[in-house]
Each structure stands twice: as C-alpha cells, then as structure tokens.
Amino acid sequence: MKQATQEKILQLVRDNYNSIAADFDQTRKKPLWPELIAAADKVKSGETVLDAACGNGRLLEAFKDKDINYLGLDNSDKLIELARDNYPKKTFLIDDLLTLEKAPAQNFDWVFCIAALHHLPGKDLRRQALKGLASKLKPNGKLIITVWRPNSHQKL
C-alpha cells in the first residue's frame, strides 16, 4: 500500500474517532470483556501500565482496586479529553500508536493495546506498531493485544 494512501486512512480514522468520541464514550460504559479482566487481574499494585490507544480510558475499570502507575495514550484529542474527564487522577496524553513518543522506553511492566492494531492500514504499519509497543516493555514485561479480525484467514 502506498504511503500516501496509508496516511489518508490514518487521518480518516483519527477524524472519525474525534467526530464520534462522545457516542463512543457512552457505548464503552458497559463491563469489560471477561478475557480482558482475566489479563488485567495479573497486574499487581505498584506495577506500570501503558494503555496504547486508550480511547476513553475504559481499561482503568479493570484496575480500580489496584494502585498502578498508568499512562494512557491515544491520537484522538477528543477521546483523551473524555478519558481525562472520566479518570481525572490518571495521566492521558495525545500520542500516536506508530510513534509512542510520549512513553519512555523499557519503562512498563505491562503494555495493553486493545482493539486498535486493525485500524492501521498495511502489514508494515502493524509491524512497526508492534515493535514500538514491545520497546516500551521492561525486561520480562507483558504485552496484551486484542484485534478485530473479521477476515481471520489473513495473516498479519
């Protein structure tokens, strides 16, 4: 896929999430998936968590009884505003999943990237994002990823 096409798609995704942010926030007020709760249960108080493509910060519901060091990043400024409103005691920054410039390298015990990689057009950008996410982990850190794969026969 041509770089210009990828850039147009990325901008379209960002613009769409900015335009639907309020509705998106409301639809994410329901309980988290059991599989996500099970993964989050392994996080211990005192550990560091990067929530890449955090949206409205909903993942924090899984940690409400834990004292974690959390950083949420998303490229939608409207979703970051909502995340800050929803969880005012946590840190949320506007950042891109492909650069993760605002997250220090090798600083996190856990990196979560929930339902976001499928928004990246092309295998090369997905690989780039995966390498970037992995670079934020401490040695022996854990990376938790979920994706929508309607065409599950396709390979990343």
Side-chain angles (χ1 to χ4, degrees):
M1 182 179 305
K2 293 181 181 178
Q3 183 177 355
T5 302
Q6 287 177 323
E7 289 172 6
K8 286 180 185 177
I9 292 170
L10 291 170
Q11 186 62 49
L12 180 64
V13 170
R14 183 175 18 260
D15 291 347
N16 284 340
Y17 272 99
N18 276 332
S19 70
I20 66 164
D23 290 333
F24 181 88
D25 181 53
Q26 289 305 308
T27 65
R28 297 313 184 266
K29 300 293 184 185
K30 54 190 172 189
L32 292 168
W33 311 315
E35 299 85 359
L36 193 51
I37 294 290
D41 280 347
K42 296 178 182 182
V43 176
K44 297 177 179 74
S45 287
E47 291 187 316
T48 53
V49 174
L50 172 61
D51 187 2
C54 67
N56 68 345
R58 175 182 181 210
L59 180 62
L60 277 166
E61 290 300 312
F63 306 119
K64 62 184 172 191
D65 297 326
K66 297 179 182 181
D67 182 22
I68 61 166
N69 183 356
Y70 172 93
L71 174 60
L73 303 175
D74 202 285
N75 70 354
S76 167
D77 56 309
K78 300 295 184 193
L79 285 173
I80 288 294
E81 287 175 23
L82 290 163
R84 289 173 178 157
D85 290 344
N86 292 336
Y87 305 96
K89 294 182 180 181
K90 296 298 181 184
T91 302
F92 296 95
L93 302 172
I94 299 168
D95 201 357
D96 194 282
L97 185 58
L98 292 169
T99 60
L100 301 171
E101 294 173 330
K102 297 183 181 171
Q106 295 186 321
N107 194 53
F108 297 92
D109 297 298
W110 296 86
V111 173
F112 285 78
C113 184
I114 308 305
L117 285 178
H118 56 272
H119 291 301
L120 300 177
K123 294 176 186 178
D124 57 329
L125 292 183
R126 292 182 196 123
R127 285 187 189 112
Q128 177 184 334
L130 288 169
K131 287 178 185 178
L133 293 166
S135 76
K136 302 306 176 181
L137 289 168
K138 292 178 180 177
N140 300 313
K142 305 289 187 267
L143 177 58
I144 307 296
I145 298 171
T146 69
V147 293
W148 297 112
R149 299 269 320 265
N151 297 316
S152 60
H153 65 281
Q154 295 178 354
K155 295 182 181 178
L156 289 174

